[in-house]
Amino acid sequence: MATVYLAEDLKHQRQVAIKVLWPELAAALGPDRFHQEIKIAANLHHPHILPLYDSGDADGFLYYVMPYEEGQSLRDKLAHEGELPIGEAVRILRDVVDALSEAHEKGVVHRDIKPDNVLLTKHHALVTDFGVAKAVSEATGAEKLTTEGVALGTPSYMSPEQAAADPHIDHRADIYAVGVVAYELLTGRPPFLGTTPQMILSAHMTDTPEPVTKYRESVPSALEQLVMKCLEKKAADRWQSAEELLPQLEALATPSGGVTPTGTMPVDRVAKRRWMMAGAAVAAAAVVIAVIAAALLLPRRSAGAFDPNRVLVVAFADQSGLEQSQALGTMAQDYIIDILTEAGFAKVVDPLTALAVSQNVGAAGMAAGPGDVLALADEAQAGTVVSGSYYTADDSVHIQTRITDARDGSLLGTVGPTVGTLGRSGELVARLGQEVVAALASLLDQDLESWEPTVRPASYEAYEAYSEGLEVYARNEMAEAARHFERAAAADPTFSRARLWAAQSYQLAGDVLQELSYYAKAESLIAPLVESRGQLSRYERCRLDFVMALGPRGNLSAAYDATRCMAQAAPGSDDARKEVALLTLRLNRPGEAIELFRELDPDRGLMTQWCCYWGFLGIAYHMLGDYEGHLEVARQGRQRHPEGPGMLLEQARALAALGRLDDVAANLEAMRSLLPLREILGGWVGSVALELRAHGYRDAAREVFDEAIAWYQSRPHDTEELRAELALWLYWAERWSDALRLYEELAEEYPENTTYLAGLGWLAARRGDREEALRISEELRSFRHPSLERDHTLERARIASLLGDREEAMTLLQRAIDQVKFGHGVWWHRDPDFESLRDYPPFQEFLRPKG
């Protein structure tokens, strides 16, 4: 019927698809009737309908313009794969029928539903070419078109009334075509085959289609009945509307794969509070439904594992086709999370975890179709999912929201469409947030009598930068993340959360890179937040305290209190619960830390992307002296992440503590074979040597130290970092003369780096030069910058320990570990500089686990 061109929309800088009708068809139609019919289709706006951008007449060529969607048509998929998995077929049919429901409500009948007119995007089906078939059939007669050599319709998918040229065709012809498409998706072939179009049309009018299960026995009987009812010869015997058919496709799936069609049942939408009703158009029509796709394709846990109060908000899918609106979906997601947290909803999944969940499922920014919703819910362990999509219509943005009960897949309710403009996206998202809060408050019986919304969305530009920052932060690229967050804060000075994340990212980057300017940037970002503390939400105040505790002047106790506060303000935040577990561990309470880590699921959500989960859990067991437990944890981590080297290192450390020297050697060999370790192999091997030494295996430790040093010496010595690491390992391997020579060179070349001065202090103490060691210790103490002071305190504790000044060493060591950067860990018992304190009761008490 047309030739399709890929084109560039120069005005909007986007790719589009232009369909140009064949000349003979255009001549038969004429431009007036074509434009009249295509105008009706242009007013259809729905997430599963491919919108119409434009249409026109160019020198007698009739054309219309649609978004260009990457992906394939359903016809292409069938050609490559044949029959589809049942769950996938149902999901596609559900999207098509959802689109028809919208069109039929507007009085538009498609008349040419077929796999060629269904496009498949990442997660959804889009129906194309609404109105074109009607324009063809009503603007001309079949006889004239036949004269021109053009056939009307597509014989394999035409209803009996279309085949008979009935002039009174209505929307039930589309229901018949859906049945044909469904039959083909499930069996790999249409219900009627023939060598000519006339044979196929005759079969549609007279032949009874064979049961679906003749060609595929695994199709559930209820699904077969649904399809066969679509294919009834008389329109009155079919499903009478797409609206009637839609809930059948979302019907409850039994464990055996059967489908139990159900009706719909309204939910009580009476708002409990006056403010809920103000602007909250909560279209909460609860439908007792489940999802065939999820039940058949997704391995599920029991419904009891899903807590309905744990709410996951998914990034809303962009169905607008506009580049300038791509961040609106994450903006809506983030604000809804924010306002639900402020409203006191018990277990709202935090943004970092929600991002990880979408990435794990491969569903970021999707409209969250039924099967996808349950996959996301399972990954987040959430009982309630808020999802949706947005599209443009008449220069407005329409946001449609769905609330799903993940325990059985039923639709609890819908919100919207919430309508606004992209230019005033803050107002649009604010209204959306309040409508969602109102709906969830009613559905989850949340008491909001004493709560008034105070959180407001930031600007669109700010959210765009903030969203980019979260993604970079999740990759542990702290300095880069900080710059995105800072850009977000600059775009909207009221966006306090972006400023908080920027400060935190700069703090962490400063710790890793030892860059003093990052600490200064963090402090400059914190200062205005401290001044406006009263305007922050409770969660933001807790995070502000946490960021301040992370800084040079912070301490472990303050950081721990702040993380507890964060977890109480946002009980559903896996990120906050993770920080509580970490601080508990650093406070030398490994038993409690193990319980907290075990409450986090390492196989779902954020924990799957936190590579340190198994490492810190292993450290907790090691601190308790349970080396077998440490080894078992390392093995569990290795099973889940076989491509990562970290668990090999943890296994080696546990085996070293157990004295299983042959197994240590085998683990070291495995570490050497992993390519990613080449840049850090020396340091990792050296840490195993320290563990061996700490547990009395000095000969074995010496051999491993030699290997680590040989590795460093084989590397090009053209970087300060490698030379500094070599100096440290030479020192710990007791090759003090070599270490002294290298530390002296580094101290001379880089006098601003006091780490090398500290190394000279240790070596002075080692050779018994007390006066020089104390001089260096005093010089270290004179550096007053708080970010350096915490490092210098630890180095001075080493010097005091080496000089035998036990009381002074313990005083300095306790002061150092009070800083967040250090805290307790397994390194204290294996640090050679504190060996002189091993029999000292205060040091033994220091090492003893407190919980």
Side-chain angles (χ1 to χ4, degrees):
M1 194 166 63
T3 301
V4 190
Y5 296 90
L6 176 64
E8 183 77 14
D9 181 348
L10 300 179
K11 179 178 179 181
H12 300 103
Q13 296 184 337
R14 61 186 176 184
Q15 288 186 313
V16 296
I18 300 181
K19 282 201 173 187
V20 182
L21 298 188
W22 291 346
E24 57 270 30
L25 179 59
L29 284 173
D32 293 339
R33 184 71 185 192
F34 172 74
H35 291 313
Q36 180 179 342
E37 296 299 336
I38 216 75
K39 186 189 304 180
I40 298 173
N43 288 318
L44 293 176
H45 304 288
H46 188 271
H48 299 304
I49 295 177
L50 192 70
L52 188 71
Y53 283 162
D54 198 6
S55 63
D57 175 10
D59 295 330
F61 288 95
L62 301 179
Y63 68 89
Y64 53 105
V65 185
M66 301 172 296
Y68 167 65
E69 292 288 348
E70 292 187 358
Q72 61 182 337
S73 71
L74 184 55
R75 170 62 64 212
D76 295 332
K77 188 174 182 67
L78 283 168
H80 285 99
E81 301 178 20
E83 61 187 26
L84 301 186
I86 294 173
E88 184 177 11
V90 171
R91 179 177 63 79
I92 292 171
L93 290 169
R94 185 250 169 232
D95 288 354
V96 171
V97 173
D98 197 13
L100 289 175
S101 177
E102 172 71 14
H104 294 171
E105 185 180 337
K106 298 289 198 313
V108 178
V109 181
H110 191 289
R111 297 174 181 238
D112 196 20
I113 291 294
K114 57 184 178 180
D116 311 69
N117 284 335
V118 178
L119 297 182
L120 303 177
T121 63
K122 289 182 179 179
H123 303 285
H124 304 288
L126 297 173
V127 182
T128 71
D129 289 344
F130 272 95
V132 177
K134 184 170 187 287
V136 172
S137 61
E138 294 199 0
T140 62
E143 181 180 348
K144 181 177 180 181
L145 281 175
T146 303
T147 302
E148 299 290 343
V150 180
L152 266 176
T154 306
S156 291
Y157 304 91
M158 291 172 68
S159 66
E161 58 267 33
Q162 285 177 289
D166 187 334
H168 304 296
I169 292 170
D170 63 17
H171 61 276
R172 290 172 295 183
D174 285 346
I175 300 296
Y176 185 90
V178 167
V180 178
V181 172
Y183 197 102
E184 187 171 3
L185 294 185
L186 295 170
T187 68
R189 49 158 287 168
F192 301 114
L193 299 173
T195 57
T196 67
Q198 289 77 13
M199 289 178 61
I200 297 173
L201 292 175
S202 176
H204 279 299
M205 295 186 340
T206 61
D207 295 354
T208 300
E210 293 178 311
V212 174
T213 49
K214 175 179 178 179
Y215 299 101
R216 190 172 182 184
E217 294 180 355
S218 62
V219 174
S221 60
L223 180 56
E224 179 182 49
Q225 293 170 21
L226 179 148
V227 175
M228 301 307 285
K229 186 171 181 177
C230 289
L231 294 174
E232 290 287 347
K233 300 299 181 188
K234 294 183 178 295
D237 293 334
R238 298 173 203 150
W239 302 104
Q240 292 303 289
S241 69
E243 190 68 27
E244 180 186 12
L245 179 57
L246 184 59
Q248 312 307 321
L249 287 168
E250 293 179 327
L252 179 65
T254 67
S256 62
V259 182
T260 305
T262 61
T264 62
M265 180 173 58
V267 154
D268 179 9
R269 294 197 290 125
V270 178
K272 294 185 175 183
R273 303 289 174 257
R274 174 181 53 83
W275 72 267
M276 292 184 191
M277 295 301 295
V282 186
V287 185
V288 185
I289 60 173
V291 184
I292 299 172
L296 296 176
L297 297 178
L298 185 67
R300 301 302 308 281
R301 295 173 295 165
S302 65
F306 292 86
D307 181 354
N309 289 317
R310 183 166 170 83
V311 180
L312 171 68
V313 184
V314 181
F316 283 50
D318 182 5
Q319 301 286 352
S320 70
L322 303 176
E323 289 186 12
Q324 62 268 34
S325 71
Q326 289 179 354
L328 185 62
T330 52
M331 180 179 179
Q333 174 197 30
D334 191 79
Y335 181 68
I336 292 172
I337 293 173
D338 202 14
I339 196 170
L340 288 174
T341 302
E342 185 197 44
F345 281 79
K347 298 176 182 178
V348 184
V349 176
D350 63 277
L352 270 181
T353 302
L355 174 63
V357 164
S358 289
Q359 290 173 340
N360 292 352
V361 176
M366 66 181 188
D372 300 323
V373 164
L374 297 190
L376 290 164
D378 188 69
E379 183 68 18
Q381 304 173 72
T384 303
V385 181
V386 177
S387 61
S389 60
Y390 57 97
Y391 55 94
T392 55
D394 301 325
D395 298 324
S396 298
V397 177
H398 296 238
I399 304 178
Q400 184 70 51
T401 308
R402 298 170 63 88
I403 303 173
T404 304
D405 185 342
R407 293 172 297 176
D408 59 7
S410 62
L411 181 66
L412 290 174
T414 63
V415 175
T418 309
V419 182
T421 62
L422 192 61
R424 307 186 73 166
S425 56
E427 294 180 8
L428 171 63
V429 171
R431 189 164 62 254
L432 171 68
Q434 291 197 21
E435 292 172 359
V436 172
V437 170
L440 282 172
S442 177
L443 293 168
L444 300 180
D445 197 26
Q446 180 82 9
D447 185 3
L448 300 178
E449 184 171 9
S450 61
W451 177 76
E452 291 290 338
T454 60
V455 179
R456 292 290 179 267
S459 69
Y460 179 86
E461 295 75 16
Y463 266 110
E464 192 170 34
Y466 174 76
S467 178
E468 293 170 356
L470 277 183
E471 292 189 15
V472 176
Y473 183 94
R475 299 197 300 266
N476 290 316
E477 300 172 16
M478 296 305 167
E480 181 64 22
R483 286 186 276 272
H484 285 292
F485 291 135
E486 198 169 20
R487 181 161 55 88
D492 188 340
T494 67
F495 197 9
S496 57
R497 192 157 8 95
R499 192 179 298 274
L500 274 168
W501 280 97
Q504 179 171 326
S505 300
Y506 274 130
Q507 293 277 22
L508 295 174
D511 285 345
V512 173
L513 303 174
Q514 293 296 297
E515 178 59 57
L516 297 183
S517 64
Y518 288 157
Y519 295 119
K521 288 182 178 180
E523 289 191 3
S524 67
L525 289 162
I526 289 172
L529 292 171
V530 174
E531 294 178 3
S532 60
R533 181 183 180 88
Q535 301 174 20
L536 304 178
S537 68
R538 183 192 174 199
Y539 181 80
E540 288 178 333
R541 292 195 299 272
C542 297
R543 182 164 285 278
L544 174 60
D545 291 339
F546 176 59
V547 173
M548 293 172 66
L550 286 179
R553 295 183 178 87
N555 59 70
L556 277 174
S557 296
Y560 174 75
D561 291 342
T563 57
R564 289 288 302 274
C565 178
M566 288 164 56
Q568 290 169 1
S573 172
D574 288 352
D575 181 51
R577 294 164 63 205
K578 174 198 76 174
E579 296 295 348
V580 173
L582 276 176
L583 268 297
T584 303
L585 181 64
R586 292 185 176 186
L587 283 169
N588 197 20
R589 289 150 60 178
E592 294 178 25
I594 288 172
E595 293 180 6
L596 293 170
F597 279 121
R598 291 296 189 187
E599 290 174 1
L600 297 166
D601 191 334
D603 298 321
R604 286 179 170 83
L606 184 63
M607 294 303 103
T608 63
Q609 298 189 7
W610 188 42
C611 60
C612 300
Y613 174 89
W614 296 101
F616 280 115
L617 184 57
I619 286 173
Y621 280 101
H622 202 112
M623 289 170 65
L624 289 170
D626 184 355
Y627 307 131
E628 289 286 359
H630 184 186
L631 181 59
E632 178 58 29
V633 165
R635 286 174 173 166
Q636 291 177 19
R638 178 76 175 149
Q639 289 173 357
R640 288 166 172 81
H641 305 285
E643 74 290 346
M647 291 303 100
L648 280 174
L649 175 61
E650 290 304 321
Q651 284 183 186
R653 287 171 174 165
L655 291 165
L658 290 167
R660 294 167 54 176
L661 303 186
D662 290 342
D663 290 333
V664 170
N667 267 259
L668 289 174
E669 182 60 35
M671 287 164 59
R672 295 185 200 102
S673 68
L674 289 175
L675 180 64
L677 278 173
R678 290 187 175 177
E679 294 304 319
I680 57 174
L681 180 59
W684 283 29
V685 170
S687 69
V688 176
L690 286 174
E691 196 69 56
L692 286 166
R693 172 178 171 143
H695 291 277
Y697 306 102
R698 297 180 74 90
D699 291 340
R702 192 173 297 110
E703 293 180 12
V704 179
F705 272 131
D706 288 344
E707 179 186 341
I709 291 168
W711 181 87
Y712 276 109
Q713 290 175 332
S714 70
R715 312 295 294 173
H717 289 174
D718 54 356
T719 66
E720 178 188 357
E721 181 181 6
L722 274 174
R723 293 168 66 200
E725 289 183 14
L726 174 57
L728 182 61
W729 291 111
L730 286 168
Y731 169 76
W732 274 336
E734 299 183 354
R735 293 170 57 171
W736 291 318
S737 59
D738 294 334
L740 177 62
R741 183 167 56 254
L742 193 48
Y743 270 127
E744 286 177 338
E745 292 175 5
L746 289 165
E748 183 176 354
E749 293 177 41
Y750 306 99
E752 74 285 355
N753 192 328
T754 55
T755 301
Y756 311 135
L757 177 63
L760 294 174
W762 312 332
L763 287 163
R766 288 277 185 184
R767 65 175 180 265
D769 189 346
R770 184 179 183 84
E771 182 178 351
E772 176 65 4
L774 290 175
R775 184 195 68 77
I776 291 175
S777 179
E778 185 61 26
E779 187 175 348
L780 289 171
R781 189 177 68 84
S782 67
F783 288 93
R784 306 306 297 177
H785 192 285
S787 63
L788 295 177
E789 184 178 349
R790 60 185 180 184
D791 294 313
H792 298 157
T793 303
L794 178 61
E795 310 311 347
R796 292 175 61 221
R798 294 182 187 279
I799 293 173
S801 174
L802 293 169
L803 291 175
D805 298 336
R806 293 182 167 188
E807 185 175 349
E808 174 70 6
M810 285 306 305
T811 299
L812 292 170
L813 182 58
Q814 187 63 54
R815 188 186 305 166
I817 67 130
D818 283 342
Q819 299 288 345
V820 179
K821 184 176 181 181
F822 299 114
H824 281 268
V826 296
W827 44 85
W828 300 119
H829 84 281
R830 66 173 178 242
D831 193 318
D833 288 341
F834 295 109
E835 286 181 350
S836 65
L837 301 178
R838 294 283 172 81
D839 61 348
Y840 187 45
F843 186 71
Q844 294 171 341
E845 176 62 22
F846 166 78
L847 291 180
R848 184 181 64 80
K850 304 303 187 293

